[in-house]
Amino acid sequence: MTTPFLQIRGLRKTYDQVVAIDHVALDIKQGEFMTFLGPSGSGKSTTLYIVAGFQEPTEGQVLLNGKSLLDVAPNKRNIGMVFQRYTLFPHLTVGENVAFPLRVRRRPESEIKAKVEKMLELVHLADYRDRLPGQMSGGQQQRVAIARALAYDPPLLLMDEPLAALDKKLREEIQFELRRIHQETGVTILYVTHDQEEALRLSDRIAVFSQGRIEQVGTGEELYEHPSSRFVAGFIGNSNFLPVKVEQMGAGRARAIFPNGQAVEGDARAFAAGSEGTLMVRPEQMRIRPHATSAQGLAVTVRDMTYLGDSMHFAVQTPWEQELAVRMAVRDGQGLCIGSSAVLEWDSQHGHVFA
Amino acid sequence: MPTALSSVAVPARRRFRLSAQTRGIKLMLPVLLLLLVFFLVPVLTLLLRSIMEPTPGLQNYAELLGSQTYVRVFFNTFMVAGVVTLITLLVGFPTAWLLAILPPRWSRLLFAVLLLSMWTNLLARTYAWMVLLQQTGLVNRVLLGLGVIDQPLTLVNNLIGVTIGMTYIMLPFLVLPLHATLRAIDPSTLRAAAVCGASRWQSLRLVLLPLALPGIASGALMVFVMSLGYYVTPALLGGTSYMMLAELIAQLVQSLLNWGLAGAAAFVLLVVTLGLYAVQLRYLGAGRSGMGGR
C-alpha cells in the first residue's frame, strides 16, 4: 500500500466561535484533477488556503508525499497557484512574470529563457512575451497566470475559482485549455469552484462541500447517479424532490408513501421507520404515459410543455398539487397536451430517499 | 433675419464646443487672477530686485556662488534635506505599509495620531523636541538611566537635532501619498509572489517596492522640496554651524536689509525645485508604471 500523494486529514478551522471547516479529510492521487465544489462559505476556499499556506488549521494535518506541509512556509512549499483575480505583477512583462518564480529560485539565465518560451507555448501565448498584463484581456492574463504557476514544475497546482471573473464563452475556452494542459503536464490539480457544470467538465473527482464539511467525494457520474444526500442531489444537476413518509427499511432500499397514500420504493441509507423524508428523481429519468404501465405510477396532470429541439420539457402537477419537471425525447411526448391527465413513471432504482 | 440664417449654417456641434471653451476660460479667470497677483507678481518682483539691486547686473548671483560661506549654506541645505528625506523614507515606508495592512480599527487610530501631530502648532512641536532632546531632557535621562551612555549626548543645536525634528514634521507628507499607492496594490499580488517562491525580502524588493515607486518618488520629492525651504525647525533645533538657506534669507532680509542677495538666494532655490519637479515628471509621469490597467 503506497501512501497517497496528498493527504488532508481531519482539518478544522475556527475563527473565534465560527467554524469555517470541520472534519475535512481527503486523499488525492498523483496526477488527479480534484475539484472542491460548493456554495460560497462552504469551506472549499479555506481548505485550499490551508494547503497553500495562507491559513493555518486549528486542527488537522496536510501531508504531501507523506511529509507534513504545515510547518513549511508558503514560499517553500513549491506549490503552484492561480487566483480568482488576475494577480500578475503589473510592472513586469508577460515573459518576466513567467520567469519570476525561476528568478527567485536563482536558476541559470539560459534555463529561464528556455522555460519561459516553453510555458508560453503551452498556454498559446508565445507572441505576447513582451506585453504588460494591463494590455491583455482577462482570459489571456489567466493563461499567463497558469504558465507562471507551472513554470517551476510544481507537483501540485492549486486553482481558486480562476475563471469566475470571465464571461461564459471565454470560460469554456479556458476549461478546454485546462484539460489539455492537465493531460500534457500530468500535474495534480486542486480546483475550487461553485459552478457544478465546470466541476463536471474538468474533474476526475469532485468533493462536494457544504457548511464546512465534505458531503460526498466521487466522480461526476457517481455524484449524479448516486448522491448521498439531498444537498448533493440538489447541487449537482436538476432534481425533483417529493415529500414521503418512510414505512419500512430494507437492504439499502426504503418503502415509503406519498402524501396521497400511494406506495413507492427507492434507494436509501439507514432510516428510522415512520420518519419524514424526501424522494429525489431526476427530470430526465421520469416518463409521462397516457396510461399506467407499471405499479410505480403517479397520476398527474400536464400543466405546461416546452419544445427544446433535442428534448421536451414538461411541468406536471401531482395529486397534492406539487409541480414537477420532466424531460423526455420529443417522440416520447407525442399524444400529450396541456391539461391532459397522465401517469408519471420512473424505474425504482432512479428514486433516492433522503432525510 | 440674415443673422439667423448664417448662424444656421455653422455646424451645431462646433458652436457648442467653442462656447463651452470660452465659458470655461471665463470661469477660470478669478483663479488665474489670484495666482497672478499673489504668486507670479511677488516672484517676479523678487527676481527683478535680485538683478537690479544695488545696481543692475548679476553681481548678487556672483557673490552668492562665489563666497565660501554662501556655498557652504547651499551645501548644508541640500545635505540636511537629503538626510531628512532618506530617514523619512526609512521610517515612512513601514508606517505607510502598516497603515495599509492593519485592520481598519487600528489603521484609523494610527491615522489619527499622524494627523493630530500634523494639526498641532509647528512651533509648539519644535519646542517640545527642544525640551525632549536637551542635555537634561527626557531622551538623555532615559539613555543615562538605562546605562546606554555615560555622558549626556548633544542632541540639539546640531545636525542630529535638525534631522530628528524635521523627519518628525515631514513624516505625514510622505506617509499620506505613499499609503494611497500601497493601498491600491492588491494584497493577493503579494500572496502570488510568496506562492511563486519569493522570500519576504524578495517580495519586497521585486514586487512591492517597484509597485510603490510612484508613491515613494512623489512623497520623497515633496519632503525634499519642503525641507529645502524650511525655516522654523532648523532655526530652533540647528546650530549656527549648520545654517540653511531659509535662515540665510531671513538674516539677509531682517538684519542686513539686503533684498537683492536674498532674492537671488530664493530664486536659486526656486530653480532647483522646479528642476527636480521636471525630473520627476519626465521619469515617473510618463514612465512605465504599469498601473494603467487598474
Side-chain angles (χ1 to χ4, degrees):
Chain A
M1 181 79 195
T2 52
T3 50
F5 178 64
L6 180 72
Q7 290 169 278
I8 297 171
R9 281 191 192 161
L11 279 193
R12 179 183 163 84
K13 171 80 183 170
T14 55
Y15 302 99
D16 298 327
Q17 299 298 311
V18 185
V19 180
I21 57 169
D22 202 3
H23 295 295
V24 169
L26 195 61
D27 285 351
I28 293 142
K29 291 193 279 285
Q30 183 146 25
E32 195 170 26
F33 197 127
M34 168 66 84
T35 297
F36 293 173
L37 175 67
S40 55
S42 60
K44 56 193 193 308
S45 288
T46 304
T47 308
L48 194 78
Y49 277 26
I50 289 172
V51 177
F54 298 140
Q55 290 184 356
E56 276 180 37
T58 316
E59 272 172 46
Q61 186 56 269
V62 179
L63 301 161
L64 185 67
N65 283 322
K67 282 191 214 89
S68 173
L69 268 185
L70 295 182
D71 355 306
V72 184
N75 62 317
K76 302 275 183 221
R77 289 192 185 193
N78 206 34
I79 288 175
M81 184 153 182
V82 178
F83 297 80
Q84 181 175 354
R85 277 173 300 174
Y86 323 129
T87 50
L88 297 180
F89 307 123
H91 59 297
L92 299 178
T93 64
V94 165
E96 286 164 348
N97 261 287
V98 178
F100 183 89
L102 303 168
R103 286 257 146 75
V104 301
R105 284 172 173 75
R106 303 188 198 291
R107 299 274 176 81
E109 201 57 36
S110 58
E111 186 197 324
I112 293 179
K113 200 166 175 291
K115 194 77 195 182
V116 168
E117 206 100 315
K118 201 179 142 205
M119 292 327 293
L120 287 180
E121 242 154 58
L122 180 73
V123 296
H124 296 321
L125 285 174
D127 297 337
Y128 291 77
R129 204 186 59 206
D130 299 322
R131 296 263 191 114
L132 284 174
Q135 302 164 335
M136 301 174 78
S137 73
Q140 288 170 332
Q141 288 190 46
Q142 253 349 21
R143 271 148 68 191
V144 176
I146 294 169
R148 183 180 66 183
L150 291 173
Y152 43 104
D153 299 312
L156 183 61
L157 178 62
L158 309 179
M159 307 187 90
D160 183 19
E161 308 219 21
L163 310 182
L166 305 178
D167 62 51
K168 190 168 159 32
K169 196 175 164 331
L170 216 53
R171 212 156 49 216
E172 284 174 7
E173 196 181 302
I174 298 189
Q175 283 166 3
F176 179 75
E177 294 268 292
L178 257 179
R179 277 191 74 95
R180 180 180 60 77
I181 290 167
H182 179 233
Q183 277 157 17
E184 279 179 28
T185 58
V187 65
T188 310
I189 298 181
L190 269 189
Y191 192 97
V192 165
T193 183
H194 60 264
D195 180 346
Q196 49 114 353
E197 208 182 300
E198 186 168 295
L200 289 172
R201 191 168 295 183
L202 291 173
S203 332
D204 295 323
R205 280 197 303 158
I206 300 168
V208 182
F209 277 71
S210 168
Q211 298 178 355
R213 287 164 184 266
I214 294 180
E215 285 272 327
Q216 191 177 358
V217 186
T219 63
E221 194 184 337
E222 282 164 6
L223 296 181
Y224 189 86
E225 301 289 341
H226 306 285
S228 67
S229 67
R230 187 190 159 136
F231 177 83
V232 173
F235 205 77
I236 296 181
N238 299 312
S239 4
N240 291 305
F241 294 107
L242 298 92
V244 291
K245 192 169 193 171
V246 177
E247 288 207 312
Q248 207 185 329
M249 240 344 264
R253 300 203 48 82
R255 251 186 85 80
I257 52 165
F258 285 127
N260 64 345
Q262 202 174 334
V264 67
E265 272 192 20
D267 285 358
R269 306 265 163 117
F271 242 108
S275 60
E276 302 282 330
T278 306
L279 178 81
M280 190 282 288
V281 188
R282 301 281 185 195
E284 73 279 8
Q285 281 156 349
M286 287 176 151
R287 294 177 303 275
I288 309 170
R289 302 263 184 251
H291 309 286
T293 57
S294 74
Q296 193 152 290
L298 195 60
V300 293
T301 316
V302 178
R303 281 280 169 236
D304 195 15
M305 46 197 285
T306 316
Y307 177 76
L308 293 173
D310 57 342
S311 65
M312 284 198 77
H313 185 268
F314 293 85
V316 298
Q317 200 178 39
T318 63
W320 56 95
E321 299 194 338
Q322 184 186 2
E323 205 149 272
L324 304 176
V326 182
R327 251 168 103 114
M328 289 200 300
V330 175
R331 68 185 134 74
D332 295 334
Q334 256 143 40
L336 293 168
C337 54
I338 295 175
S340 64
S341 298
V343 179
L344 189 63
E345 296 178 347
W346 59 91
D347 297 335
S348 72
Q349 80 259 25
H350 289 144
H352 304 269
V353 183
F354 302 123
Chain B
M1 195 61 190
T3 23
L5 272 175
S6 69
S7 81
V8 168
V10 178
R13 251 181 78 203
R14 217 180 120 219
R15 251 187 326 149
F16 173 73
R17 204 168 54 206
L18 274 178
S19 71
Q21 225 166 39
T22 43
R23 200 169 45 211
I25 289 174
K26 269 189 218 154
L27 282 173
M28 270 163 41
L29 267 180
V31 180
L32 289 177
L33 211 66
L34 188 88
L35 285 173
L36 191 75
V37 172
F38 288 99
F39 287 86
L40 213 53
V41 171
V43 169
L44 288 178
T45 313
L46 209 56
L47 174 65
L48 214 62
R49 291 183 87 158
S50 74
I51 51 174
M52 298 304 285
E53 288 182 14
T55 53
L58 292 174
Q59 73 276 14
N60 279 328
Y61 290 90
E63 191 187 342
L64 205 58
L65 301 174
S67 133
Q68 275 282 339
T69 325
Y70 295 148
V71 168
R72 174 110 204 129
V73 170
F74 271 110
F75 174 78
N76 283 346
T77 307
F78 282 97
M79 189 199 53
V80 170
V83 169
V84 167
T85 306
L86 194 74
I87 295 181
T88 309
L89 265 177
L90 289 178
V91 179
F93 187 86
T95 312
W97 181 238
L98 210 61
L99 272 174
I101 60 167
L102 277 180
R105 207 155 49 101
W106 291 104
S107 72
R108 267 202 295 275
L109 190 74
L110 192 56
F111 246 117
V113 171
L114 263 178
L115 290 178
L116 212 64
S117 77
M118 214 168 126
W119 293 333
T120 313
N121 183 285
L122 173 67
L123 217 54
R125 283 188 288 161
T126 306
Y127 276 120
W129 274 115
M130 275 176 87
V131 175
L132 285 173
L133 294 175
Q134 65 193 349
Q135 295 268 331
T136 54
L138 189 66
V139 174
N140 266 322
R141 268 189 291 168
V142 167
L143 288 178
L144 281 170
L146 289 173
V148 182
I149 48 170
D150 310 319
Q151 295 277 322
L153 298 171
T154 315
L155 297 173
V156 275
N157 294 328
N158 59 12
L159 192 59
I160 300 172
V162 178
T163 308
I164 293 176
M166 298 255 299
T167 300
Y168 164 70
I169 285 157
M170 293 299 164
L171 204 56
F173 296 100
L174 179 90
V175 168
L176 296 182
L178 188 54
H179 166 252
T181 311
L182 289 177
R183 256 235 325 237
I185 297 174
D186 193 333
S188 48
T189 311
L190 293 171
R191 279 184 172 171
V195 162
C196 281
S199 62
R200 275 160 195 275
W201 169 242
Q202 282 171 324
S203 296
L204 176 73
R205 194 165 52 87
L206 299 174
V207 179
L208 193 58
L209 280 181
L211 288 177
L213 200 60
I216 293 176
S218 60
L221 187 74
M222 174 97 118
V223 170
F224 189 74
V225 167
M226 281 180 73
S227 303
L228 282 181
Y230 229 64
Y231 173 65
V232 174
T233 310
L236 290 176
L237 290 174
T240 39
S241 51
Y242 280 101
M243 184 187 263
M244 286 174 71
L245 204 56
E247 292 171 87
L248 175 69
I249 293 171
Q251 229 173 57
L252 287 174
V253 172
Q254 287 171 352
S255 320
L256 306 171
L257 293 176
N258 190 344
W259 279 90
L261 201 55
F267 203 68
V268 169
L269 193 61
L270 182 67
V271 168
V272 170
T273 308
L274 287 177
L276 283 171
Y277 187 56
V279 167
Q280 192 212 12
L281 282 187
R282 171 82 181 71
Y283 287 103
L284 284 160
R288 195 184 89 178
S289 66
M291 306 294 276
R294 282 169 187 274

